[in-house]
Amino acid sequence: MIGIKEMTLRTPAKSKRDHRVSLLLAFVAFVCGAQFASAVTVGGVDIGDLPPGKSVTITFQNKIDSPVAAGTTQISNQATVSGNNFSSVQTDDPDTATANDATLTPLLETADLSIAKTGPAAFTLGNNNSFDYTLTVTNHGPSANSGGFTLTDTLPTGTAFVASGSTAGANVSGQTVTYTNTTGLAANASASFTIHVAVDSSAAGTVLQNAASVATTGTADEANGNNTSNSVATAVSKADTAVTVISAVNPSNLGQMVQFTATVSSASGTPTGSVQFSDNGNALGAARPLTSGVATIKTSSLTSGKHHIGAAYSGDTNFAASSGSLAGGQKVRGGGTPTPTPSPTVRPTATPTPAPSATPSDIQNLSTRQRVGSGENVMIGGFIITGHAPKKLLIRGLGPSLESKNINDFLPDPMLELHGHKGALITSNDDWRSTQEAAISATGLAPKRDKEAAILI
């Protein structure tokens, strides 16, 4: 701390001779109103001869060490004037009525508070629309802040204060958040505050601007140019999404029911909204709602040939729109009206009484092939078993293995159902290894492809 002082020395106007004058400066500190026992002599100034009625003004600076001793409230300053032809005298404070008294300078304690703020430069909306602001108050001294301070932050439009995750003790009024410190802050110490905010989807496409301020409620802060923080700019955007499309059956046969599934994904959560499927650029049915990020559609109306199947995601308040397509497209086989091969019917025949030397004959294998559709166009085969002796029968539904026979429009994933003579379902199978794998393999007649079906009874 530096103070500037002025002293004016004047000789009596009636004096008939010059006075040779020197000035001795002294400083005394007062603590709680009580003067220290000793004075500190700073130095002497030789003024030279001073003619009668003349004056000289001396200006000087004094520096007070920081920090000063605890409880120091003022500084006492007085000079002694001496010469070779008069008695020494002490300077007088002209602002008081007392003669030859020292000049008392009150000491003002100051604590320079500053505030800084941090936050994200960019924020992406999603399922968790919130982030943190961090505010740091620092006391640069020279004195401790006694009595505390108040921190104020007015949150930008599109955000809202969230108590969970924020520093406790906030007073919230609308968009204004206030923290009050009553314990003070030591010199060169800092205190941090976290403000957790929720971001509304309406903020998408905007830049949030926010700054905070600090004000002392105790020790004076004369350097208030740093009482407002830097402004934090946060660009808010919708979350990116991606769409993938798969087909349940590809290639498929003409008239076959095919299900397409679109999955909308994002690194920021699970999107909502709807998906519009398309076939060669034309809408395929109505838009389908997303359930846990997934939408599906079924159709049996695809014509033969190759189809570009697309899926366009609408986007929602937090997630951006996007689109995708079925890799390689959907292939539909067939054309024209094929002539089905009639399904043979095994009819019971009378069992003749064999001659003692004759070997009875039985059917070892019976097969049929026919184009398979859906609904009323499924393939139905029937058989009747007679006699009283137990018989073992293996029923197979083959598709992919027909490719080795140069049949290109095979059923890629056949399914079997076995019904009784009154129509009741007895059992069914989709992939033969899924149920009776060991028993079917033991027959030596197991299907060659895993996607083919078989039932052993």
Side-chain angles (χ1 to χ4, degrees):
M1 184 181 298
I2 297 176
I4 299 177
K5 298 292 183 181
E6 288 187 355
M7 289 188 177
T8 301
L9 303 179
R10 186 185 305 274
T11 60
K14 296 181 180 181
S15 177
K16 296 181 179 180
R17 56 182 296 182
D18 293 347
H19 294 269
R20 186 165 187 84
V21 180
S22 65
L23 178 67
L24 184 64
L25 306 179
F27 300 91
V28 179
F30 283 80
V31 180
C32 297
Q35 182 178 336
F36 278 117
S38 60
V40 179
T41 299
V42 176
V45 178
D46 188 0
I47 298 172
D49 294 338
L50 189 62
K54 299 298 182 180
S55 65
V56 60
T57 299
I58 301 172
T59 302
F60 60 93
Q61 291 182 338
N62 58 79
K63 181 179 180 181
I64 301 172
D65 291 336
S66 176
V68 296
T72 302
T73 61
Q74 58 187 1
I75 296 294
S76 175
N77 174 225
Q78 191 168 35
T80 300
V81 180
S82 60
N84 58 4
N85 54 3
F86 65 92
S87 299
S88 298
V89 295
Q90 289 186 310
T91 58
D92 177 51
D93 184 355
D95 295 330
T96 65
T98 306
N100 299 327
D101 60 338
T103 299
L104 300 180
T105 303
L107 289 181
L108 176 65
E109 288 188 333
T110 61
D112 179 18
L113 299 181
S114 70
I115 184 170
K117 185 169 189 175
T118 61
F123 179 74
T124 301
L125 294 170
N127 292 144
N128 180 23
N129 289 347
S130 61
F131 64 82
D132 290 340
Y133 286 121
T134 300
L135 300 93
T136 302
V137 177
T138 301
N139 178 12
H140 300 279
S143 302
N145 170 270
S146 300
F149 56 85
T150 299
L151 181 154
T152 303
D153 189 351
T154 300
L155 300 178
T157 301
T159 64
F161 177 82
V162 180
S164 177
S166 297
T167 300
N171 181 23
V172 182
S173 177
Q175 293 296 101
T176 303
V177 181
T178 304
Y179 283 96
T180 301
N181 173 290
T182 59
T183 59
L185 190 61
N188 302 314
S190 298
S192 294
F193 301 82
T194 298
I195 296 180
H196 190 65
V197 297
V199 184
D200 190 80
S201 57
S202 62
T206 67
V207 177
L208 305 175
Q209 297 281 354
N210 187 227
S213 62
V214 63
T216 182
T217 55
T219 305
D221 181 2
E222 294 184 324
N224 53 17
N226 53 3
N227 290 161
T228 299
S229 75
N230 54 296
S231 181
V232 174
T234 303
V236 181
S237 62
K238 289 187 176 183
D240 292 333
T241 60
V243 179
T244 57
V245 183
I246 61 173
S247 170
V249 180
N250 193 15
S252 60
N253 296 319
L254 184 65
Q256 184 177 1
M257 184 68 70
V258 181
Q259 175 174 293
F260 298 109
T261 300
T263 301
V264 183
S265 58
S266 172
S268 298
T270 303
T272 62
S274 62
V275 168
Q276 177 63 62
F277 289 91
S278 62
D279 174 17
N280 293 331
N282 300 314
L284 186 60
R288 294 297 195 270
L290 285 176
T291 302
S292 299
V294 177
T296 61
I297 191 172
K298 292 182 179 180
T299 180
S300 60
S301 61
L302 298 179
T303 59
S304 60
K306 187 175 181 180
H307 296 256
H308 176 82
I309 305 299
Y313 168 54
S314 62
D316 62 14
T317 55
N318 295 327
F319 295 88
S322 60
S323 61
S325 60
L326 178 64
Q330 178 69 28
K331 298 176 183 178
V332 180
R333 297 175 298 202
T337 305
T339 301
T341 302
S343 301
T345 302
V346 180
R347 300 183 180 279
T349 57
T351 303
T353 303
S357 59
T359 301
S361 63
D362 55 7
I363 297 176
Q364 296 292 326
N365 184 36
L366 179 65
S367 65
T368 185
R369 189 179 74 200
Q370 183 175 341
R371 185 173 298 280
V372 178
S374 59
E376 296 182 354
N377 296 318
V378 299
M379 178 180 179
I380 301 176
F383 56 87
I384 299 174
I385 300 176
T386 62
H388 298 287
K391 299 178 177 62
K392 185 176 290 187
L393 180 64
L394 178 64
I395 307 167
R396 302 184 304 176
L398 306 182
S401 59
L402 297 180
E403 189 175 19
S404 63
K405 307 296 183 182
N406 295 321
I407 298 174
N408 295 323
D409 57 345
F410 57 84
L411 190 64
D413 189 4
M415 178 179 177
L416 282 176
E417 291 184 351
L418 179 62
H419 294 259
H421 68 285
K422 292 185 178 181
L425 179 65
I426 298 174
T427 186
S428 64
N429 177 258
D430 187 357
D431 300 333
W432 71 273
R433 291 185 183 275
S434 63
T435 53
Q436 300 173 288
E437 179 179 2
I440 293 174
S441 297
T443 66
L445 299 172
K448 296 180 180 179
R449 303 290 180 87
D450 291 349
K451 284 293 185 181
E452 295 176 324
I455 298 173
L456 181 64
I457 59 174

